[in-house]
Structures are given as C-alpha cells and as structure tokens.
Amino acid sequence: MTSLFMRHKSLLLGCLFFTSCSLANADWNSFNLDVVNTQIIPGYERLQSSASSLDKAREKFCRNKKDTQAYSSFKNSYAEFGVAWQAVQHIRFGPISYAKRDVSIQFWPDKKGYSGKRIHEFKTNTDIALSEQEFPTSRFSIGALNVLERILYSEEPIDNRSCELLALHTQNVLRISSELAVEWKESMRKQFEDPRQLDGFFEDEIDAATALLKGAAENLEVISALKLLRPMGSFAKKAKFQRLEAWRSGLSLPFITKNLDVSIAMIETLQQNITNAELSSATSILESAKNRLMSINPPLAKAIKSNEQYRELKDIAQDLVHAHSELENTLTKMGIHLGFNSRDGD
Amino acid sequence: MEHTKLVSAAIISGALLTACTTVDEAPAQKTATATDVVSQYVSIAQANYGDSLNTAKTLDTAIKAFLDAPSEESLAAAKSAWIEARVPYQQTEAYRFGNAYVDDWEGKVNAWPLDEGLIDYVDASYGTESDENPYYAANIIANPKLSVGGVEVDASSITPALLSEQLQEIDEVESNVATGYHAIEFLLWGQDLNGTNQGAGARPATDFSLENCTNGNCDRRREYLQAASTLLISDLEDIVAAWAADGEATKQLLAKGDNGGLSTVLTGMGSLSYGELAGERIKLGLMLHDPEEEHDCFADNTHASHFNDALGIRNIYLGSYTKVSGEVVDGASLSDLVAAKDAELDQEMRNKLDVTMSAMQVMVDEANKGNTFDVLIGEGNAEGNKVIQDVVDALVDQTKTIEKIVVALNLEEIEVEGSDSLDNPSAVL
C-alpha cells in the first residue's frame, strides 16, 4: 500500500525556466547528504534510543505503580521521546510514510478526540486482547504520544488495563523507530547518494532536495497555523489551551522550539552548501522568532490566555508566516518548487 | 466563448455516476486564451451554483412535504432530494480554494466534520464531552436555553438567524456546525451507529411527528430542519449572486488578471485533489479505520460526494459542465491552453483525470453493492482498503501533473491577494 505522503518521482520542469537551475548538481547532492547524515539519521537514532528508554521506563513503572520515582522517570522518558519525535516529524516521505508509522507515533491535531475514545474503548471492553503483532494494524495503534500523555497526566490512577495499552504503544513505537533508523541508514541514504538510479526514489538531486526542503517549509506553516494561531483564536479570552499540542504535559513550547530548530538547521545547511543562496532574511526571522518564543513564560497553555503574551505570540506566528513566504520565494528562484502540500485544504 | 448543447436528461439521470466519458483522446486542438479560459470558468460557476440552488429548493419542497405529513415514505423522498442536491454542489468544490470569497462563504453550507451533539440527541457511545468543544453535547433541540462557559444562548425559537448568527461555529469551534448540508443530513438520517458495517443512519420519521413524537422535542426538531433548509437556500442565493457578471466573486477573480485567474483555477484543482480530498477526507479515515471520518457520514453518501468532487476538478480542466437538466456548458478550457503549450502534458493530465474517475467509479460501484465508504475503510477489510487507497493514489498522482502545469504556464510567482491561501500562494502552490 502506498502512502499519501510517499514521494513520487516527478519531473521538475521548473528547471527549464529558471537560470538558477544552473546550480551544480554536486551542490544539491552535497546539501542532501549533509542533511541526511547530520540531521535525519542522527534524528532517527535519537528517536530509537529514546523509544527504548521509554519502553523500559514503562515496564518498570507498570511493575510497581506505586513507585513515584518510576512514575517520574516514565514521564521524563515520555518527554524525551516527544522531543526526539519533534526533531524528525517534518520528514513525511520515505520509511515514515509506510504502514501508518507516522500516525502511530503521533496523531495531532486530534480534532475529534480519537485517542481518548480509543482509550475509553480499550479500558471498558476487556474482551479486546491484542498481541504485539496484531496491534500495529488495529485502530488502537494510533497516536502513541497522545495516548501516553492522556494516561500519564490523567487524574485517574493508572490501572492494569491502562498499562496493557501503554505496553502495546511503547513496544510499537520502539519497533517503528528501530526500523526507521535501520531503513534510513541502509536504504534511504543510498537513494540520496545516487538520486538518479534506475527505479530509485527520486528523479534527480533537485527532486531529492525538494523532498527535504518541503518538510522544513511545511514545518513553519504547521507551527504558525496549527500550533499557535488555531489554539489562540481571535483574542486572548477566546484562546483554547486544549487545542495546543501536548498541553497536558506542558510540553507545547519545547515541542515548537524543537520544530523551529530543525527548520533553521536545514536552512543553514542549505546556505553552507549552495553558494549565494539568499536565505539570510528567512534565517534571521526564524532566529528572532525562536528567541522570542524562548522568552515566553511557560506553560504555553497559560501564556495564550495572557493579553501581553498573546500579542507577542501572535507576532511570532506572523513572523513565521513571513519567513515561510521568504523561504519559498527564494527556493523557487533556486529551482525548487515545493508544490501542494498535505496541509492544503481545511 | 460559452455555448451550450442539449444532452438527453434521461441519459444523465439514468447513469448519475457514470455520466463521465473518457477523456483519454485529446480532441482537435482549439485556440484558447487565458481570458477565454477564465471566462468559461465563471460560466461554469454560474451554471454549477445555479444547479446547487435549484436542487436545494427541490430539497426544501421535499422537506416541507415531509413535515406536513411525516411518514417513512415522505422522509425517504426528502433523503432522496438531499442526495440529488449534493450532486451539483460537490462539483462546485473545486471553486473553493483560491477564491477567497468562496472559501469564506463555504463553511455556511458544507462545514465538516461536525459535532452533531450540538444539534440533537446522540447515542451514549458519542460521549458527553470533548477537549476542544464545550458545546459538544449541547443538544440545542432539547434545550431552549443554554448556558455554557458563562455564555447564555436563548434558543427558545429556532430560526435561521439563531443558527447562522449564534450557533454556527459558536465559541470559535469549527466543529460546531449548525447549518448547511450536513446539519440537514443529520436531521434526516440521524447517527449511523453501524460502525464499519453496512447501513446508514436510521432516524425514524416519527422524530418529526407532532402526534406520535419519538425521542422528544419533535416540535423543535421540525423548527430546526425547516430553518436549516431555508438558510441553505438563502446562502446558495448569495453565492449565485456572487458569481453573476457583476458579482463579488467574479469581480475578485477578474481583478487578478489572466495569470492570476489561471493561478486561482489551478489552486482550486490542486488543493482539492491533494490536501483536502486525498488527505483530510479520504486517507485520514482509511488510516484510522474510523467511520466518523467520512464526509457524508449520516447518509453514507460519501462515495458520491467524493466522485462529484473529482468530477468538478475534471469539469474545470476540460471547461465543460453538464447541468442537472442535461444541458452542457462547454467552452474554452485549461486543457486547450495547456495543449497549445505542451500537448503531451495536456494528454498526461487528461489521462490522470481518467484514472481518478475510474478509481472513483470502482468506489461508487462498491457502494452500490452496500459497501459504502465506511465499510471500505474498515479495519481488516484489505480489499475495501485497496479500493480507497487506489482513489488516494490517483488523486495524488493527478496533483503532480497539476503542479507541472503551474510551472509550464509560468504561474508560480504571481502575487494574489484576498485570503490566507491567496496572500501566501506558496502555502498552496
């Protein structure tokens, strides 16, 4: 089954119309490999190691649910895994797009409360028994991060049935993240090393670069539109903290900061590899936005309700929209056409 | 450039969802200018929204007949009219993205998904609360006065104004959908409690009976249904007026100039194909295996709505729309324009539109056998899942060619203003 977000080979006719396409393929190749080797593969390795810690922490806690230190360590492991995911969630092509791996790790925004309903269903219907092998294709496998957070930060005590569900999720994300790390090292890297290979994943170097940069650009759109403006509503009194990502754990802000970091890192890598890339404007807006975000008093759920911080966050969101536009215009001039993305529409 | 020709209405109505002829052979090339193409796009909008209004009026007549004499037969007639009304409306959806006027207006008639507990009684499995929506189970039909989060709503009389001005998107929650096709759909069918098994919502006609009322508050349920139907007509009248020669939507489009107009046309085609239809409305439901993620979830009419969305995209590319009456509104097309520049690219687009329509047809054929969208996306239904995945793949693939057309027509750096998606064309192109 082919995923919606699988990168299809496409002829980038745009190159015929832009003189900047004379940029050497070697430059693009160098950029692509730099991103893959220094950002994506290490990112997936961190995801794997944090998933391993998470699974162990879950196991320890569920053996003795009264152990407050184990509970605290489980929460910390959840946070580490969440941040590790934020560093790679912008990659929406390749191995992550197979067998609903992406939504198995996180399903957000969860506009209809899907995760909560599945937890309720699993806990109340004790006839549901899923093996580790059956779980990945079941409806319960969606949104490990959502489920973990809901259970870990619930006021209800964590019972055995909850622990059964937690185990299925932590084992599943450990399996997924291990596969991702291996597949990127063993298969995907080769696709970038020789993007023109017959029956390969990409058409050429620019096609491969487009796949990478699309993630960096879309990331900015997601932060501004979904992670900030949607929960903020039209004014502070109308702000809905429940629409924030990870509001229960108070990790909304660290998640956004990590998202910004990866976009900035990719743009900086582009500047280092492509001579005369006019990206300083986008970079400086993003750096400034990040600094301003870091001066917001956490948790974000509280900040969006404060008039002063609300205004600041609104400005930051607008800056990200501006940076996204700057980035996309510059990339177009460089022969990179990002095309439609999965966030178009509602 | 517009000319019309009459096609047998019997043929169209007799094969509602197979009316689509193949486009795999390009016709003799016509000369078309960008101005002609944009002008024909407006002509199709006028015809297509005009049909939407007319079929909504037919629906209203059927609803009035049902309310006059509630019975399973008159309810079935109203449901049938609703399904017929969806055919032209869904074809207009390719006008939504790119046209700021339409995008701002659209939520009044086709907002989705909705938390139906805002409107009426729901099954216990629906739950009583939502993280995002304090009005999740407000049940306006059962509650003449509401007080939620310190906000008082006087719903003692259910009128079009109450629905549109107070309840629609109340508390800035998008899923508080009080108006439009889906609100009416819920009132006619009720919740579909069959999960991923066959069967749609089965609300009894007596839910609207003053003599033999079931589930309480039948008088208010009747008021709600009539108010929503009246409102649908007035909202569609607004959009028909907006696409008149001197209407606001037409003026905004023409003010963009030829290339801006073409960019709008392609933005609509691509955004609907990819993010909205392939992603939000189809792939998401398939991944979650969740029947609540289907577009016409109460009526189980999702297959037809998706088919007509895809048909709308094709109409725009080919510059041709077949009206409900059978008349064909035909004229200069984007296809002509692309063919003049790159005949192979035009052929590729035509081929891919055919592939999409074929994949959609397979889904429709399955639905006609009882395997509606919610059945096809079911967990463990590998064959059904593949039918839906084929639709997604075809839509994604046709989007790739739409992107190529954007580049071939050199439309990428156009500044278009008017809405979020237009102010930032990079967000959609």
Side-chain angles (χ1 to χ4, degrees):
Chain A
M1 191 177 287
T2 314
S3 162
L4 167 63
F5 302 113
M6 178 176 170
R7 185 79 195 150
H8 286 259
K9 294 182 76 163
S10 62
L11 289 169
L12 288 163
L13 298 179
C15 269
L16 301 175
F17 301 95
F18 294 92
T19 52
S20 46
C21 280
S22 58
L23 282 170
N25 287 329
D27 291 339
W28 288 114
N29 214 30
S30 157
F31 161 73
N32 293 339
L33 289 174
D34 220 352
V35 171
V36 169
N37 290 325
T38 65
Q39 292 163 33
I40 299 179
I41 290 176
Y44 280 125
E45 285 172 340
R46 271 192 295 277
L47 189 71
Q48 180 189 11
S49 63
S50 61
S52 174
S53 306
L54 177 69
D55 189 47
K56 283 178 191 148
R58 184 270 314 158
E59 199 174 0
K60 188 174 178 191
F61 166 74
C62 284
R63 248 187 274 125
N64 178 8
K65 290 188 278 295
K66 288 181 181 162
D67 183 343
T68 54
Q69 200 179 345
Y71 180 44
S72 173
S73 253
F74 190 11
K75 280 182 169 175
N76 289 340
S77 295
Y78 156 78
E80 278 169 33
F81 179 71
V83 170
W85 169 245
Q86 296 304 319
V88 288
Q89 54 80 38
H90 61 294
I91 304 298
R92 295 178 168 270
F93 65 92
I96 190 65
S97 65
Y98 309 142
K100 59 181 186 183
R101 286 166 165 171
D102 47 359
V103 291
S104 293
I105 296 175
Q106 187 188 32
F107 176 56
W108 187 86
D110 182 1
K111 293 180 182 175
K112 299 199 86 173
Y114 184 86
S115 312
K117 287 177 189 169
R118 294 294 80 79
I119 294 172
H120 179 74
E121 184 184 355
F122 189 89
K123 286 178 70 171
T124 52
N125 184 353
T126 49
D127 290 340
I128 297 167
L130 293 165
S131 68
E132 213 177 318
Q133 288 70 39
E134 291 167 327
F135 182 71
T137 56
S138 78
R139 63 187 178 282
F140 296 96
S141 67
I142 303 297
L145 277 168
N146 314 49
V147 171
L148 281 159
E149 187 184 50
R150 275 180 178 267
I151 294 177
L152 275 173
Y153 292 87
S154 166
E155 286 174 6
E156 283 179 35
I158 301 174
D159 58 14
N160 289 339
R161 188 67 174 157
S162 296
C163 268
E164 279 180 46
L165 184 59
L166 289 171
L168 288 164
H169 274 291
T170 58
Q171 287 159 359
N172 195 41
V173 294
L174 176 56
R175 176 190 59 81
I176 292 172
S177 54
S178 303
E179 288 169 357
L180 290 170
V182 170
E183 288 165 25
W184 266 90
K185 273 186 281 192
E186 293 184 357
S187 311
M188 281 307 286
R189 176 155 49 195
K190 287 180 188 156
Q191 299 291 331
F192 285 90
E193 285 167 351
D194 179 13
R196 291 168 186 260
Q197 60 190 274
L198 200 62
D199 294 328
F201 201 78
F202 303 111
E203 190 69 31
D204 56 20
E205 292 78 2
I206 293 184
D207 194 26
T210 303
L212 296 173
L213 288 162
K214 193 169 189 160
E218 190 175 341
N219 213 14
L220 304 179
E221 201 179 334
V222 171
I223 299 170
S224 58
L226 291 180
K227 298 197 175 187
L228 291 174
L229 294 174
R230 184 171 180 271
M232 290 170 70
S234 53
F235 51 96
K237 269 192 176 173
K238 284 282 180 190
K240 292 185 173 56
F241 67 87
Q242 298 97 328
R243 287 183 174 186
L244 288 166
E245 183 185 30
W247 61 270
R248 290 178 174 83
S249 57
L251 288 166
S252 314
L253 209 45
F255 280 11
I256 293 174
T257 313
K258 180 51 77 178
N259 297 151
L260 263 181
D261 280 343
V262 294
S263 282
I264 291 170
M266 202 185 296
I267 296 166
E268 284 175 349
T269 307
L270 187 60
Q271 272 182 310
Q272 287 156 14
N273 285 279
I274 309 287
T275 322
N276 299 328
E278 294 170 8
L279 291 158
S280 52
S281 172
T283 315
S284 66
I285 298 170
L286 291 178
E287 290 286 4
S288 158
K290 188 188 159 191
N291 290 335
R292 290 167 75 185
L293 263 180
M294 290 173 79
S295 69
I296 295 289
N297 296 328
L300 198 54
K302 204 170 170 187
I304 60 171
K305 286 279 188 188
S306 130
N307 284 331
E308 192 185 332
Q309 300 209 71
Y310 180 94
R311 279 193 297 274
E312 175 71 353
L313 286 162
K314 201 99 179 181
D315 284 349
I316 292 169
Q318 290 307 326
D319 281 354
L320 294 176
V321 171
H322 184 203
H324 178 268
S325 179
E326 289 275 322
L327 175 62
E328 200 141 22
N329 289 339
T330 306
L331 292 175
T332 299
K333 287 176 191 160
M334 295 169 73
I336 297 281
H337 308 289
L338 299 180
F340 293 92
N341 71 49
S342 58
R343 307 281 168 181
D344 295 337
D346 273 338
Chain B
M1 288 296 289
E2 178 190 343
H3 59 277
T4 59
K5 58 188 174 192
L6 197 64
V7 172
S8 165
I11 294 172
I12 301 299
S13 59
L16 172 67
L17 299 178
T18 52
C20 197
T21 54
T22 181
V23 291
D24 60 3
E25 285 182 24
Q29 196 173 310
K30 300 175 221 166
T31 307
T33 65
T35 308
D36 296 335
V37 171
V38 173
S39 168
Q40 176 61 11
Y41 174 80
V42 173
S43 296
I44 291 178
Q46 290 166 349
N48 202 168
Y49 282 112
D51 272 353
S52 303
L53 174 59
N54 290 334
T55 50
K57 285 179 178 171
T58 305
L59 168 63
D60 188 61
T61 302
I63 285 173
K64 282 189 166 67
F66 167 55
L67 293 177
D68 281 349
S71 68
E72 291 305 325
E73 290 72 28
S74 57
L75 175 58
K79 286 176 173 180
S80 178
W82 184 89
I83 288 171
E84 292 296 323
R86 293 292 283 166
V87 173
Y89 179 76
Q90 286 301 106
Q91 291 178 59
T92 69
E93 286 219 285
Y95 283 84
R96 177 180 163 194
F97 305 103
N99 288 295
Y101 188 93
V102 180
D103 203 15
D104 289 345
W105 165 88
E106 180 273 346
K108 297 177 183 179
V109 299
N110 199 36
W112 173 89
L114 67 160
D115 289 338
E116 62 268 25
L118 167 76
I119 298 173
D120 200 358
Y121 71 87
V122 286
D123 185 72
S125 60
Y126 174 87
T128 54
E129 57 186 80
S130 145
D131 265 0
E132 296 208 348
N133 184 9
Y135 290 83
Y136 182 69
N139 192 353
I140 210 77
I141 283 174
N143 293 290
K145 290 204 188 301
L146 277 182
S147 177
V148 179
V151 178
E152 301 278 339
V153 178
D154 179 1
S156 49
S157 180
I158 300 177
T159 62
L162 173 79
L163 301 189
S164 62
E165 292 164 23
Q166 288 194 64
L167 295 179
Q168 179 73 353
E169 292 195 8
I170 189 168
D171 203 29
E172 295 189 3
V173 176
E174 299 134 335
S175 58
N176 283 328
V177 178
T179 67
Y181 289 103
H182 295 300
I184 295 171
E185 179 194 1
F186 172 54
L187 288 169
L188 292 178
W189 271 270
Q191 286 182 296
D192 177 356
L193 301 173
N194 302 296
T196 54
N197 297 318
Q198 292 190 354
R203 184 191 288 278
T206 46
D207 269 14
F208 295 87
S209 168
L210 294 174
E211 292 79 28
N212 303 300
C213 178
T214 46
N215 295 304
N217 309 296
C218 289
D219 52 340
R220 289 177 57 77
R221 193 170 295 111
R222 291 166 60 91
E223 267 186 59
Y224 199 122
L225 179 57
Q226 187 55 69
S229 180
T230 302
L231 195 57
L232 179 64
I233 291 172
S234 67
D235 286 333
L236 287 165
E237 283 169 344
D238 288 347
I239 199 69
V240 167
W243 281 108
D246 60 347
E248 193 54 37
T250 307
K251 281 197 285 189
Q252 286 184 12
L253 177 72
L254 298 181
K256 296 173 187 171
D258 285 348
N259 283 352
L262 291 179
S263 180
T264 297
V265 173
L266 286 156
T267 297
M269 290 172 61
S271 296
L272 181 58
S273 277
Y274 192 58
E276 182 69 14
L277 196 51
E280 183 89 3
R281 293 193 193 174
I282 305 182
K283 182 70 182 182
L284 185 59
L286 179 60
M287 286 194 300
L288 302 180
H289 308 297
D290 184 1
E292 287 183 30
E293 289 295 337
E294 68 163 330
H295 193 59
D296 296 351
C297 66
F298 310 114
D300 271 358
N301 184 54
T302 304
H303 56 283
S305 282
H306 292 345
F307 180 97
N308 285 301
D309 268 336
L311 187 57
I313 294 167
R314 183 177 177 273
N315 292 343
I316 284 178
Y317 187 69
L318 299 178
S320 179
Y321 167 68
T322 302
K323 293 174 70 171
V324 171
S325 66
E327 256 188 313
V328 176
V329 180
D330 197 11
S333 69
L334 190 53
S335 168
D336 299 334
L337 199 66
V338 174
K341 193 136 192 169
D342 184 341
E344 275 184 30
L345 183 58
D346 172 56
Q347 190 60 57
E348 178 182 313
M349 187 73 245
R350 288 166 161 269
N351 293 344
K352 289 187 178 179
L353 289 167
D354 275 353
V355 170
T356 298
M357 294 316 300
S358 297
M360 289 281 183
Q361 187 63 53
V362 172
M363 178 175 67
V364 169
D365 292 344
E366 282 297 319
N368 289 338
K369 290 185 264 179
N371 299 320
T372 47
F373 184 84
D374 50 358
V375 176
L376 296 172
I377 62 171
E379 194 174 338
N381 182 355
E383 282 180 24
N385 287 187
K386 184 177 183 307
V387 168
I388 301 301
Q389 185 63 48
D390 288 347
V391 168
V392 171
D393 290 344
L395 287 165
V396 171
D397 199 33
Q398 80 176 26
T399 309
K400 295 289 170 196
T401 303
I402 295 170
E403 289 175 351
K404 287 188 200 176
I405 290 172
V406 171
V407 176
L409 297 179
N410 205 11
L411 298 171
E412 288 185 299
E413 293 188 282
I414 290 167
E415 290 286 334
V416 190
E417 295 179 4
S419 76
D420 287 347
S421 58
L422 297 175
D423 287 340
N424 179 15
S426 56
V428 284
L429 283 178

